[in-house]
Amino acid sequence: MKNKALTITLIILVVITLVGIVGLILALQFNKGANGPNEPSIDQIIEASVDVPEITTNLSGSQFIRISLKIQTDNKKAAEELAKRDFQVNNIVIQELSEMTPKDLEGKAGKQAFEDSIKSQLNPLMQSGEIEKVYIVSYIIQ
């Protein structure tokens, strides 16, 4: 009788433990999805972005470039501030490009380095947020 009661008690404890473990795993997975990185929607990205109209300037050497950018900020207020700083953005872009050669902008790595450079120079100016990404929308080197 005692062995039968002990066996039933152990089975019940094992079942309760397994149900608890499964429940914990499911709860953690559910919370992981809910609390994970929340990517903004495309509408939120556009709302927090500023277009930099086409800039034509000389590169280092005899060639020149026409380039357009879209700069993504982390919120709408930061985008409004960046739009007001358009003259500073243009200045930074022109200064950066004046030090570059067409070879510096070749390939994916060259364009990424330019985008990162613009981002790192603009972020210290920002008071209401930060620059998340700089996109080259169009460019032509002549």
mmCIF file of all heavy atoms in Angstrom, residues 36-77:
data_model
loop_
_atom_site.group_PDB
_atom_site.id
_atom_site.type_symbol
_atom_site.label_atom_id
_atom_site.label_comp_id
_atom_site.label_asym_id
_atom_site.label_seq_id
_atom_site.Cartn_x
_atom_site.Cartn_y
_atom_site.Cartn_z
ATOM 1 N N GLY A 36 10.984 41.920 -27.397
ATOM 2 C CA GLY A 36 12.147 41.944 -28.269
ATOM 3 C C GLY A 36 12.273 43.288 -28.953
ATOM 4 O O GLY A 36 11.498 44.210 -28.736
ATOM 5 N N PRO A 37 13.287 43.440 -29.811
ATOM 6 C CA PRO A 37 13.464 44.708 -30.500
ATOM 7 C C PRO A 37 12.237 45.027 -31.349
ATOM 8 O O PRO A 37 11.810 44.226 -32.168
ATOM 9 C CB PRO A 37 14.707 44.483 -31.357
ATOM 10 C CG PRO A 37 14.903 43.010 -31.413
ATOM 11 C CD PRO A 37 14.238 42.433 -30.197
ATOM 12 N N ASN A 38 11.686 46.190 -31.103
ATOM 13 C CA ASN A 38 10.472 46.597 -31.796
ATOM 14 C C ASN A 38 10.867 47.472 -32.977
ATOM 15 O O ASN A 38 11.162 48.654 -32.817
ATOM 16 C CB ASN A 38 9.550 47.348 -30.820
ATOM 17 C CG ASN A 38 8.182 47.595 -31.399
ATOM 18 O OD1 ASN A 38 7.859 47.088 -32.467
ATOM 19 N ND2 ASN A 38 7.393 48.370 -30.700
ATOM 20 N N GLU A 39 10.897 46.895 -34.149
ATOM 21 C CA GLU A 39 11.266 47.630 -35.344
ATOM 22 C C GLU A 39 10.146 48.589 -35.735
ATOM 23 O O GLU A 39 8.978 48.226 -35.724
ATOM 24 C CB GLU A 39 11.545 46.649 -36.496
ATOM 25 C CG GLU A 39 12.741 45.764 -36.274
ATOM 26 C CD GLU A 39 14.053 46.531 -36.223
ATOM 27 O OE1 GLU A 39 14.227 47.478 -37.008
ATOM 28 O OE2 GLU A 39 14.894 46.181 -35.389
ATOM 29 N N PRO A 40 10.510 49.822 -36.102
ATOM 30 C CA PRO A 40 9.474 50.776 -36.511
ATOM 31 C C PRO A 40 8.874 50.385 -37.863
ATOM 32 O O PRO A 40 9.540 49.757 -38.696
ATOM 33 C CB PRO A 40 10.239 52.098 -36.604
ATOM 34 C CG PRO A 40 11.665 51.718 -36.800
ATOM 35 C CD PRO A 40 11.846 50.393 -36.127
ATOM 36 N N SER A 41 7.638 50.789 -38.064
ATOM 37 C CA SER A 41 6.996 50.529 -39.351
ATOM 38 C C SER A 41 7.563 51.491 -40.383
ATOM 39 O O SER A 41 8.202 52.490 -40.045
ATOM 40 C CB SER A 41 5.482 50.727 -39.229
ATOM 41 O OG SER A 41 5.189 52.106 -39.062
ATOM 42 N N ILE A 42 7.312 51.226 -41.648
ATOM 43 C CA ILE A 42 7.823 52.091 -42.712
ATOM 44 C C ILE A 42 7.215 53.484 -42.605
ATOM 45 O O ILE A 42 7.886 54.481 -42.884
ATOM 46 C CB ILE A 42 7.599 51.466 -44.113
ATOM 47 C CG1 ILE A 42 8.321 52.275 -45.195
ATOM 48 C CG2 ILE A 42 6.122 51.361 -44.420
ATOM 49 C CD1 ILE A 42 9.827 52.296 -45.058
ATOM 50 N N ASP A 43 5.968 53.572 -42.155
ATOM 51 C CA ASP A 43 5.346 54.887 -41.975
ATOM 52 C C ASP A 43 6.061 55.676 -40.886
ATOM 53 O O ASP A 43 6.261 56.890 -41.018
ATOM 54 C CB ASP A 43 3.856 54.746 -41.631
ATOM 55 C CG ASP A 43 3.054 54.194 -42.807
ATOM 56 O OD1 ASP A 43 3.437 54.465 -43.968
ATOM 57 O OD2 ASP A 43 2.058 53.497 -42.560
ATOM 58 N N GLN A 44 6.456 55.011 -39.810
ATOM 59 C CA GLN A 44 7.191 55.681 -38.739
ATOM 60 C C GLN A 44 8.582 56.114 -39.208
ATOM 61 O O GLN A 44 9.059 57.183 -38.851
ATOM 62 C CB GLN A 44 7.309 54.769 -37.523
ATOM 63 C CG GLN A 44 5.993 54.508 -36.825
ATOM 64 C CD GLN A 44 6.088 53.398 -35.790
ATOM 65 O OE1 GLN A 44 6.818 52.425 -35.972
ATOM 66 N NE2 GLN A 44 5.335 53.545 -34.706
ATOM 67 N N ILE A 45 9.210 55.287 -40.034
ATOM 68 C CA ILE A 45 10.529 55.633 -40.570
ATOM 69 C C ILE A 45 10.430 56.870 -41.452
ATOM 70 O O ILE A 45 11.227 57.796 -41.335
ATOM 71 C CB ILE A 45 11.139 54.448 -41.351
ATOM 72 C CG1 ILE A 45 11.497 53.317 -40.388
ATOM 73 C CG2 ILE A 45 12.373 54.886 -42.144
ATOM 74 C CD1 ILE A 45 11.931 52.033 -41.059
ATOM 75 N N ILE A 46 9.442 56.894 -42.337
ATOM 76 C CA ILE A 46 9.275 58.041 -43.230
ATOM 77 C C ILE A 46 8.953 59.302 -42.443
ATOM 78 O O ILE A 46 9.468 60.381 -42.731
ATOM 79 C CB ILE A 46 8.196 57.738 -44.293
ATOM 80 C CG1 ILE A 46 8.734 56.674 -45.259
ATOM 81 C CG2 ILE A 46 7.790 58.996 -45.042
ATOM 82 C CD1 ILE A 46 7.723 56.143 -46.228
ATOM 83 N N GLU A 47 8.116 59.169 -41.422
ATOM 84 C CA GLU A 47 7.749 60.321 -40.594
ATOM 85 C C GLU A 47 8.963 60.890 -39.861
ATOM 86 O O GLU A 47 9.039 62.097 -39.630
ATOM 87 C CB GLU A 47 6.684 59.897 -39.582
ATOM 88 C CG GLU A 47 6.135 61.023 -38.744
ATOM 89 C CD GLU A 47 5.038 60.542 -37.819
ATOM 90 O OE1 GLU A 47 5.367 59.961 -36.758
ATOM 91 O OE2 GLU A 47 3.868 60.743 -38.159
ATOM 92 N N ALA A 48 9.914 60.046 -39.524
ATOM 93 C CA ALA A 48 11.096 60.472 -38.779
ATOM 94 C C ALA A 48 12.308 60.678 -39.688
ATOM 95 O O ALA A 48 13.443 60.684 -39.213
ATOM 96 C CB ALA A 48 11.423 59.455 -37.697
ATOM 97 N N SER A 49 12.083 60.852 -40.992
ATOM 98 C CA SER A 49 13.176 61.019 -41.945
ATOM 99 C C SER A 49 13.115 62.387 -42.605
ATOM 100 O O SER A 49 12.054 62.992 -42.704
ATOM 101 C CB SER A 49 13.116 59.943 -43.029
ATOM 102 O OG SER A 49 13.312 58.672 -42.469
ATOM 103 N N VAL A 50 14.275 62.818 -43.070
ATOM 104 C CA VAL A 50 14.395 64.106 -43.745
ATOM 105 C C VAL A 50 15.103 63.873 -45.076
ATOM 106 O O VAL A 50 16.133 63.190 -45.125
ATOM 107 C CB VAL A 50 15.206 65.102 -42.893
ATOM 108 C CG1 VAL A 50 15.441 66.402 -43.647
ATOM 109 C CG2 VAL A 50 14.514 65.361 -41.568
ATOM 110 N N ASP A 51 14.561 64.451 -46.140
ATOM 111 C CA ASP A 51 15.199 64.385 -47.448
ATOM 112 C C ASP A 51 16.202 65.522 -47.579
ATOM 113 O O ASP A 51 15.884 66.676 -47.264
ATOM 114 C CB ASP A 51 14.163 64.501 -48.568
ATOM 115 C CG ASP A 51 13.288 63.274 -48.682
ATOM 116 O OD1 ASP A 51 13.824 62.157 -48.574
ATOM 117 O OD2 ASP A 51 12.064 63.424 -48.876
ATOM 118 N N VAL A 52 17.394 65.198 -48.038
ATOM 119 C CA VAL A 52 18.388 66.220 -48.362
ATOM 120 C C VAL A 52 18.366 66.347 -49.877
ATOM 121 O O VAL A 52 18.703 65.405 -50.583
ATOM 122 C CB VAL A 52 19.797 65.810 -47.872
ATOM 123 C CG1 VAL A 52 20.824 66.855 -48.278
ATOM 124 C CG2 VAL A 52 19.796 65.593 -46.365
ATOM 125 N N PRO A 53 17.929 67.512 -50.382
ATOM 126 C CA PRO A 53 17.837 67.661 -51.840
ATOM 127 C C PRO A 53 19.208 67.511 -52.503
ATOM 128 O O PRO A 53 20.249 67.583 -51.844
ATOM 129 C CB PRO A 53 17.284 69.070 -52.034
ATOM 130 C CG PRO A 53 17.119 69.675 -50.701
ATOM 131 C CD PRO A 53 17.554 68.697 -49.665
ATOM 132 N N GLU A 54 19.170 67.322 -53.795
ATOM 133 C CA GLU A 54 20.394 67.073 -54.555
ATOM 134 C C GLU A 54 21.435 68.157 -54.315
ATOM 135 O O GLU A 54 21.141 69.350 -54.371
ATOM 136 C CB GLU A 54 20.053 66.990 -56.038
ATOM 137 C CG GLU A 54 21.217 66.565 -56.902
ATOM 138 C CD GLU A 54 20.798 66.357 -58.336
ATOM 139 O OE1 GLU A 54 20.761 67.343 -59.080
ATOM 140 O OE2 GLU A 54 20.488 65.207 -58.688
ATOM 141 N N ILE A 55 22.639 67.708 -54.015
ATOM 142 C CA ILE A 55 23.787 68.593 -53.814
ATOM 143 C C ILE A 55 24.784 68.285 -54.928
ATOM 144 O O ILE A 55 25.094 67.128 -55.188
ATOM 145 C CB ILE A 55 24.451 68.345 -52.444
ATOM 146 C CG1 ILE A 55 23.483 68.684 -51.322
ATOM 147 C CG2 ILE A 55 25.740 69.135 -52.322
ATOM 148 C CD1 ILE A 55 23.992 68.309 -49.940
ATOM 149 N N THR A 56 25.275 69.336 -55.565
ATOM 150 C CA THR A 56 26.316 69.186 -56.580
ATOM 151 C C THR A 56 27.557 69.885 -56.059
ATOM 152 O O THR A 56 27.520 71.064 -55.713
ATOM 153 C CB THR A 56 25.887 69.826 -57.916
ATOM 154 O OG1 THR A 56 24.656 69.227 -58.337
ATOM 155 C CG2 THR A 56 26.939 69.619 -58.983
ATOM 156 N N THR A 57 28.654 69.135 -55.992
ATOM 157 C CA THR A 57 29.906 69.703 -55.472
ATOM 158 C C THR A 57 31.103 68.988 -56.087
ATOM 159 O O THR A 57 30.958 67.899 -56.659
ATOM 160 C CB THR A 57 29.959 69.626 -53.931
ATOM 161 O OG1 THR A 57 31.073 70.367 -53.464
ATOM 162 C CG2 THR A 57 30.036 68.196 -53.456
ATOM 163 N N ASN A 58 32.262 69.612 -55.951
ATOM 164 C CA ASN A 58 33.507 69.026 -56.457
ATOM 165 C C ASN A 58 33.999 67.963 -55.491
ATOM 166 O O ASN A 58 33.889 68.111 -54.275
ATOM 167 C CB ASN A 58 34.589 70.096 -56.599
ATOM 168 C CG ASN A 58 34.276 71.097 -57.674
ATOM 169 O OD1 ASN A 58 33.573 70.803 -58.630
ATOM 170 N ND2 ASN A 58 34.786 72.305 -57.506
ATOM 171 N N LEU A 59 34.544 66.922 -56.082
ATOM 172 C CA LEU A 59 35.279 65.947 -55.288
ATOM 173 C C LEU A 59 36.729 66.390 -55.241
ATOM 174 O O LEU A 59 37.114 67.362 -55.909
ATOM 175 C CB LEU A 59 35.172 64.557 -55.925
ATOM 176 C CG LEU A 59 33.787 63.916 -55.923
ATOM 177 C CD1 LEU A 59 33.794 62.662 -56.782
ATOM 178 C CD2 LEU A 59 33.348 63.597 -54.514
ATOM 179 N N SER A 60 37.540 65.692 -54.473
ATOM 180 C CA SER A 60 38.967 65.980 -54.452
ATOM 181 C C SER A 60 39.531 65.573 -55.806
ATOM 182 O O SER A 60 39.581 64.408 -56.145
ATOM 183 C CB SER A 60 39.636 65.181 -53.334
ATOM 184 O OG SER A 60 41.009 65.430 -53.315
ATOM 185 N N GLY A 61 39.905 66.537 -56.599
ATOM 186 C CA GLY A 61 40.351 66.292 -57.971
ATOM 187 C C GLY A 61 39.490 67.102 -58.919
ATOM 188 O O GLY A 61 38.878 68.097 -58.545
ATOM 189 N N SER A 62 39.394 66.652 -60.147
ATOM 190 C CA SER A 62 38.682 67.437 -61.161
ATOM 191 C C SER A 62 37.246 66.982 -61.389
ATOM 192 O O SER A 62 36.540 67.578 -62.193
ATOM 193 C CB SER A 62 39.454 67.377 -62.484
ATOM 194 O OG SER A 62 39.508 66.028 -62.930
ATOM 195 N N GLN A 63 36.800 65.960 -60.726
ATOM 196 C CA GLN A 63 35.449 65.460 -60.941
ATOM 197 C C GLN A 63 34.486 66.060 -59.935
ATOM 198 O O GLN A 63 34.888 66.583 -58.898
ATOM 199 C CB GLN A 63 35.429 63.939 -60.860
ATOM 200 C CG GLN A 63 36.216 63.296 -62.006
ATOM 201 C CD GLN A 63 36.159 61.801 -61.939
ATOM 202 O OE1 GLN A 63 36.548 61.229 -60.933
ATOM 203 N NE2 GLN A 63 35.689 61.171 -63.010
ATOM 204 N N PHE A 64 33.192 65.970 -60.276
ATOM 205 C CA PHE A 64 32.195 66.444 -59.323
ATOM 206 C C PHE A 64 31.112 65.396 -59.150
ATOM 207 O O PHE A 64 31.021 64.434 -59.910
ATOM 208 C CB PHE A 64 31.622 67.815 -59.726
ATOM 209 C CG PHE A 64 30.811 67.814 -60.990
ATOM 210 C CD1 PHE A 64 29.439 67.628 -60.961
ATOM 211 C CD2 PHE A 64 31.424 68.028 -62.218
ATOM 212 C CE1 PHE A 64 28.694 67.641 -62.119
ATOM 213 C CE2 PHE A 64 30.677 68.041 -63.384
ATOM 214 C CZ PHE A 64 29.305 67.853 -63.338
ATOM 215 N N ILE A 65 30.302 65.588 -58.112
ATOM 216 C CA ILE A 65 29.287 64.610 -57.751
ATOM 217 C C ILE A 65 27.957 65.321 -57.535
ATOM 218 O O ILE A 65 27.912 66.445 -57.061
ATOM 219 C CB ILE A 65 29.696 63.837 -56.480
ATOM 220 C CG1 ILE A 65 28.711 62.702 -56.176
ATOM 221 C CG2 ILE A 65 29.834 64.765 -55.291
ATOM 222 C CD1 ILE A 65 29.171 61.741 -55.098
ATOM 223 N N ARG A 66 26.897 64.626 -57.914
ATOM 224 C CA ARG A 66 25.528 65.014 -57.572
ATOM 225 C C ARG A 66 24.998 63.916 -56.672
ATOM 226 O O ARG A 66 25.002 62.752 -57.059
ATOM 227 C CB ARG A 66 24.651 65.121 -58.813
ATOM 228 C CG ARG A 66 24.961 66.291 -59.665
ATOM 229 C CD ARG A 66 23.957 66.396 -60.788
ATOM 230 N NE ARG A 66 24.415 67.431 -61.688
ATOM 231 C CZ ARG A 66 23.915 67.651 -62.864
ATOM 232 N NH1 ARG A 66 22.919 66.902 -63.303
ATOM 233 N NH2 ARG A 66 24.382 68.611 -63.625
ATOM 234 N N ILE A 67 24.541 64.315 -55.499
ATOM 235 C CA ILE A 67 24.115 63.308 -54.533
ATOM 236 C C ILE A 67 22.873 63.781 -53.792
ATOM 237 O O ILE A 67 22.727 64.969 -53.504
ATOM 238 C CB ILE A 67 25.265 62.977 -53.551
ATOM 239 C CG1 ILE A 67 24.955 61.735 -52.725
ATOM 240 C CG2 ILE A 67 25.606 64.160 -52.680
ATOM 241 C CD1 ILE A 67 26.159 61.141 -52.018
ATOM 242 N N SER A 68 21.961 62.847 -53.530
ATOM 243 C CA SER A 68 20.768 63.104 -52.712
ATOM 244 C C SER A 68 20.777 62.107 -51.567
ATOM 245 O O SER A 68 21.146 60.945 -51.751
ATOM 246 C CB SER A 68 19.482 62.897 -53.510
ATOM 247 O OG SER A 68 19.457 63.716 -54.635
ATOM 248 N N LEU A 69 20.336 62.558 -50.399
ATOM 249 C CA LEU A 69 20.329 61.706 -49.217
ATOM 250 C C LEU A 69 18.965 61.710 -48.545
ATOM 251 O O LEU A 69 18.186 62.649 -48.721
ATOM 252 C CB LEU A 69 21.365 62.206 -48.199
ATOM 253 C CG LEU A 69 22.795 62.369 -48.669
ATOM 254 C CD1 LEU A 69 23.630 63.049 -47.593
ATOM 255 C CD2 LEU A 69 23.399 61.038 -49.024
ATOM 256 N N LYS A 70 18.699 60.676 -47.793
ATOM 257 C CA LYS A 70 17.571 60.622 -46.858
ATOM 258 C C LYS A 70 18.183 60.241 -45.523
ATOM 259 O O LYS A 70 18.907 59.264 -45.423
ATOM 260 C CB LYS A 70 16.516 59.611 -47.286
ATOM 261 C CG LYS A 70 15.303 59.606 -46.329
ATOM 262 C CD LYS A 70 14.197 58.686 -46.797
ATOM 263 C CE LYS A 70 13.290 59.283 -47.807
ATOM 264 N NZ LYS A 70 12.328 60.257 -47.311
ATOM 265 N N ILE A 71 17.859 61.046 -44.503
ATOM 266 C CA ILE A 71 18.433 60.823 -43.186
ATOM 267 C C ILE A 71 17.323 60.428 -42.233
ATOM 268 O O ILE A 71 16.355 61.165 -42.049
ATOM 269 C CB ILE A 71 19.173 62.078 -42.684
ATOM 270 C CG1 ILE A 71 20.269 62.465 -43.677
ATOM 271 C CG2 ILE A 71 19.751 61.831 -41.298
ATOM 272 C CD1 ILE A 71 20.966 63.759 -43.360
ATOM 273 N N GLN A 72 17.475 59.256 -41.632
ATOM 274 C CA GLN A 72 16.484 58.720 -40.695
ATOM 275 C C GLN A 72 16.899 59.057 -39.268
ATOM 276 O O GLN A 72 18.019 58.783 -38.847
ATOM 277 C CB GLN A 72 16.378 57.209 -40.854
ATOM 278 C CG GLN A 72 15.427 56.550 -39.884
ATOM 279 C CD GLN A 72 15.479 55.040 -39.960
ATOM 280 O OE1 GLN A 72 15.983 54.468 -40.923
ATOM 281 N NE2 GLN A 72 14.974 54.378 -38.955
ATOM 282 N N THR A 73 15.964 59.667 -38.524
ATOM 283 C CA THR A 73 16.197 59.971 -37.120
ATOM 284 C C THR A 73 15.402 58.988 -36.268
ATOM 285 O O THR A 73 14.646 58.172 -36.793
ATOM 286 C CB THR A 73 15.769 61.410 -36.786
ATOM 287 O OG1 THR A 73 14.361 61.538 -36.981
ATOM 288 C CG2 THR A 73 16.502 62.419 -37.657
ATOM 289 N N ASP A 74 15.543 59.106 -34.950
ATOM 290 C CA ASP A 74 14.852 58.166 -34.074
ATOM 291 C C ASP A 74 13.450 58.607 -33.682
ATOM 292 O O ASP A 74 12.711 57.819 -33.091
ATOM 293 C CB ASP A 74 15.692 57.856 -32.834
ATOM 294 C CG ASP A 74 15.981 59.082 -31.986
ATOM 295 O OD1 ASP A 74 15.747 60.208 -32.448
ATOM 296 O OD2 ASP A 74 16.469 58.909 -30.858
ATOM 297 N N ASN A 75 13.053 59.844 -34.019
ATOM 298 C CA ASN A 75 11.686 60.276 -33.727
ATOM 299 C C ASN A 75 11.312 61.492 -34.568
ATOM 300 O O ASN A 75 12.176 62.103 -35.208
ATOM 301 C CB ASN A 75 11.493 60.567 -32.220
ATOM 302 C CG ASN A 75 12.386 61.677 -31.716
ATOM 303 O OD1 ASN A 75 12.328 62.804 -32.195
ATOM 304 N ND2 ASN A 75 13.238 61.356 -30.748
ATOM 305 N N LYS A 76 10.044 61.836 -34.551
ATOM 306 C CA LYS A 76 9.529 62.927 -35.380
ATOM 307 C C LYS A 76 10.108 64.271 -34.959
ATOM 308 O O LYS A 76 10.430 65.110 -35.801
ATOM 309 C CB LYS A 76 8.001 62.951 -35.306
ATOM 310 C CG LYS A 76 7.362 63.930 -36.253
ATOM 311 C CD LYS A 76 5.851 63.847 -36.196
ATOM 312 C CE LYS A 76 5.237 64.865 -37.138
ATOM 313 N NZ LYS A 76 3.782 64.809 -37.115
ATOM 314 N N LYS A 77 10.271 64.480 -33.672
ATOM 315 C CA LYS A 77 10.820 65.740 -33.170
ATOM 316 C C LYS A 77 12.260 65.933 -33.658
ATOM 317 O O LYS A 77 12.663 67.037 -34.026
ATOM 318 C CB LYS A 77 10.754 65.774 -31.641
ATOM 319 C CG LYS A 77 11.080 67.109 -31.044
ATOM 320 C CD LYS A 77 10.836 67.107 -29.543
ATOM 321 C CE LYS A 77 11.194 68.476 -28.958
ATOM 322 N NZ LYS A 77 11.066 68.508 -27.513
#
